Amino acid sequence: MRRLLTILAVAFCVTITQATDYKYLIIETTDGTAYNLTATGQTITFENGNLVSSDGTTIALTSLAKMYFSETSGISEMTSSEISGQPVTVYDTKGALMGQFADMAAARQVLRKGVYVIKIENGDSMKMAVK
């Protein structure tokens, strides 16, 4: 476990020197969940086998798949009220099609816990968390 923590800490420190132009730190877990953290002013510590960010995000180190910096969160922002009642196509964070649904409410009833990308007929997309 110490070796894993040391490797992660070194990799993070090497990467942080290149992160000055990026707005987001994206952390993906082995179950496909993606966490978009603001890179500026973010502090990350390792406590009790977890990665803990200054915004309160806590992720078990054993579930980390990858971490990388990005200029954008990758998904445009819309509110669910903007697409209320519209058919949606749902993808997981790896891009796999999860299904097509009559609306957001129908999608939420079927999908398991996680983060998804919702695409509507006009091509716009948004992220959705199912808790």
Side-chain angles (χ1 to χ4, degrees), residues 71-89:
E71 292 180 27
T72 67
S73 64
I75 302 170
S76 62
E77 297 293 328
M78 294 185 296
T79 63
S80 57
S81 63
E82 291 180 80
I83 62 172
S84 179
Q86 293 186 45
V88 295
T89 304

Side-chain angles (χ1 to χ4, degrees), residues 2-130:
R2 284 185 184 209
R3 184 175 179 179
L4 174 63
L5 289 175
T6 302
I7 291 170
L8 286 172
V10 169
F12 185 75
C13 290
V14 169
T15 306
I16 200 163
T17 61
Q18 301 171 6
T20 55
D21 294 334
Y22 296 104
K23 294 181 182 179
Y24 296 96
L25 171 63
I26 313 298
I27 301 173
E28 292 184 17
T29 59
T30 54
D31 69 358
T33 303
Y35 298 87
N36 300 321
L37 306 177
T38 303
T40 306
Q42 190 70 251
T43 302
I44 294 178
T45 58
F46 300 96
E47 302 170 8
N48 301 319
N50 294 311
L51 177 149
V52 180
S53 70
S54 56
D55 70 358
T57 302
T58 301
I59 305 166
L61 292 175
T62 56
S63 70
L64 289 179
K66 62 182 171 178
M67 296 171 36
Y68 56 93
F69 290 96
S70 177
E71 292 180 27
T72 67
S73 64
I75 302 170
S76 62
E77 297 293 328
M78 294 185 296
T79 63
S80 57
S81 63
E82 291 180 80
I83 62 172
S84 179
Q86 293 186 45
V88 295
T89 304
V90 181
Y91 300 89
D92 67 12
T93 56
K94 295 179 183 179
L97 176 65
M98 301 304 292
Q100 295 178 326
F101 303 92
D103 57 24
M104 291 276 288
R108 284 186 183 277
Q109 290 178 352
V110 174
L111 298 170
R112 64 183 181 145
K113 184 177 172 180
V115 176
Y116 298 93
V117 176
I118 308 302
K119 195 168 195 177
I120 58 176
E121 290 178 345
N122 72 0
D124 287 340
S125 60
M126 66 179 282
K127 56 189 166 192
M128 174 180 77
V130 177

